Amino acid sequence: ENCQEKHEKEEKMTSVNAMRFDEYSGMCVCDEARSWNDENGRLLTAEKMRLITSEEVMKATGAAVIMGKTGTSTLGNEYLETTKDRLDAHFQKMVKEQGSPLKKFMTVKEMAHFLFHNLCDVKREHIDHTLRARYGFTSNDFVAGFYKNDAGEKIEIKDKTVIDNVHKIMTWEGMCPDSRSIFLNAQIVAGYEPKEGFRIFKSSLIAPHCEAVHEIFTCDGSGVDSTDFAFTAFANTRSIAERRGKIDRVEGLVNLLEALNMANTSSAGCDGYLKIQYINGREKNPLDRCKEIHDHRSVLALEIVKGALHGFVPWQKTYDLVEGLIYEGRDFLEVNDEMKRAATNLKGLMDMLR
């Protein structure tokens, strides 16, 4: 089995998506499936998106920023944890330097680049673990051309085979399996900050970069082949003025659900409860600027959209029900009953859903 085949097997998971509605708001949606062995065993436990600005940061700066990840689940979880911890540590450092209230913290762009550098640091740590376990030296030793063994003796690194193998591990040349799990990771950073508004950034360790997303949407993961079609079709029907910052939040939400439904239907690695995270910078209380729904309500919202896609629920009713359920906090059972009453063929709807 070659490196390419192993790479493709490992990648079969995840649909992480983000959309910008206007300068104050946007939304992220993802699934929760992860694979965990060579037979593509699947668990519906992955937390692929998380609010990385702590309550203290949100109160002090008004920022609400989400990080989503795709790739190796275990390493992705470490990226999320260390990212949040290091962002908090940087915030505390700035408070100590500037005093409270802060005169300046970071924009979403600066956070995205700060987080990307953290990802590179974690990547370097894991590469060093691999090199140390296999050869007894780190990447710094490799660059220096020598290392010292336990006895303190200087040993030059000059074996051509070792040098070639280490180079492949450090750069993922040829999709080397020894560092596949380290490099096979990508991230989406999306959120609101008062100075620059709502922005989305995308970064990757596969082809290292961190860059702004200038379209109204971005998506990543194995479900991207499906979601790209749904998002592109949606964006193509919006005027320039709308794409610049006037996307209807209900229409945007429904399109996100439609795209995730396509990923769940056609991609083997996408499944489970979806997580919806809505960022709204217009909320006066900074702690209310991120609304997260990851329970029976998100499932019902997706089922309403599926009903519309199959012709069982009228589209206008779909928009009304999803808006009430996700944005207005309507009761779950009330919305569920109204969906059934609105169905053009209740038995057909239930057969399709259940």
Side-chain angles (χ1 to χ4, degrees), residues 17-19 21 27 29 216-217 226-238 247-262 302 305 309 315 318-319 322:
N17 313 281
M19 182 178 291
F21 298 156
M27 180 171 282
V29 175
I216 63 171
F217 71 90
S226 303
T227 55
D228 248 345
F229 285 110
F231 291 136
T232 301
F234 178 80
N236 286 346
T237 60
R238 282 1 185 224
I247 298 298
D248 182 271
R249 67 174 189 170
V250 181
E251 293 179 355
L253 168 57
V254 169
N255 180 242
L256 283 160
L257 296 175
E258 181 181 353
L260 191 59
N261 177 66
M262 291 180 67
L302 183 60
V305 172
L309 289 169
W315 276 106
T318 296
Y319 291 126
V322 170

Side-chain angles (χ1 to χ4, degrees), residues 60-282:
T61 67
V65 179
I66 293 166
M67 178 177 172
K69 49 91 176 179
T70 177
T72 310
S73 293
T74 304
L75 216 63
N77 291 339
E78 182 178 348
Y79 287 141
L80 281 175
E81 292 292 343
T82 57
T83 289
K84 191 174 185 303
D85 291 343
R86 293 187 185 186
L87 188 62
D88 287 343
H90 184 69
F91 170 76
Q92 296 299 337
K93 177 184 176 182
M94 296 190 74
V95 169
K96 188 174 181 179
E97 292 174 351
Q98 299 180 24
S100 185
L102 280 179
K103 296 178 182 178
K104 179 184 178 183
F105 183 48
M106 286 193 287
T107 63
V108 178
K109 177 181 179 180
E110 290 167 338
M111 285 191 208
H113 285 279
F114 177 87
L115 303 180
F116 179 66
H117 287 303
N118 172 60
L119 300 178
C120 293
D121 289 342
V122 175
K123 176 197 73 173
R124 183 71 171 270
E125 291 171 7
H126 280 270
I127 287 175
D128 281 346
H129 291 162
T130 300
L131 295 180
R132 193 178 290 112
R134 178 154 311 177
Y135 302 109
F137 56 78
T138 66
S139 53
N140 283 340
D141 297 328
F142 179 72
V143 172
F146 70 91
Y147 68 100
K148 292 184 178 181
N149 62 18
D150 293 339
E153 300 170 330
K154 180 179 177 180
I155 300 176
E156 292 187 6
I157 305 170
K158 54 186 180 181
D159 184 278
K160 186 178 185 305
T161 301
V162 171
I163 291 173
D164 288 344
N165 289 340
V166 170
H167 185 267
K168 289 177 181 178
I169 291 172
M170 290 179 62
T171 63
W172 204 32
E173 179 184 338
M175 296 182 180
C176 173
D178 293 322
S179 52
R180 178 183 64 240
S181 63
I182 300 172
F183 282 89
L184 193 64
N185 289 279
Q187 297 76 33
I188 292 173
V189 174
Y192 168 82
E193 176 273 328
K195 182 179 179 181
E196 293 187 353
F198 187 92
R199 299 195 69 187
I200 304 172
F201 288 81
K202 192 172 184 178
S203 61
S204 175
L205 294 176
I206 301 171
H209 69 275
C210 179
E211 59 190 20
V213 174
H214 296 291
E215 297 291 340
I216 63 171
F217 71 90
T218 191
C219 48
D220 212 329
S222 59
V224 70
D225 293 338
S226 303
T227 55
D228 248 345
F229 285 110
F231 291 136
T232 301
F234 178 80
N236 286 346
T237 60
R238 282 1 185 224
S239 66
I240 293 178
E242 288 175 312
R243 294 198 301 269
R244 284 175 177 170
K246 292 183 180 179
I247 298 298
D248 182 271
R249 67 174 189 170
V250 181
E251 293 179 355
L253 168 57
V254 169
N255 180 242
L256 283 160
L257 296 175
E258 181 181 353
L260 191 59
N261 177 66
M262 291 180 67
N264 287 350
T265 301
S266 59
S267 299
C270 302
D271 202 357
Y273 277 40
L274 66 153
K275 177 185 283 189
I276 299 171
Q277 288 186 294
Y278 173 52
I279 298 288
N280 183 10
R282 292 183 175 86

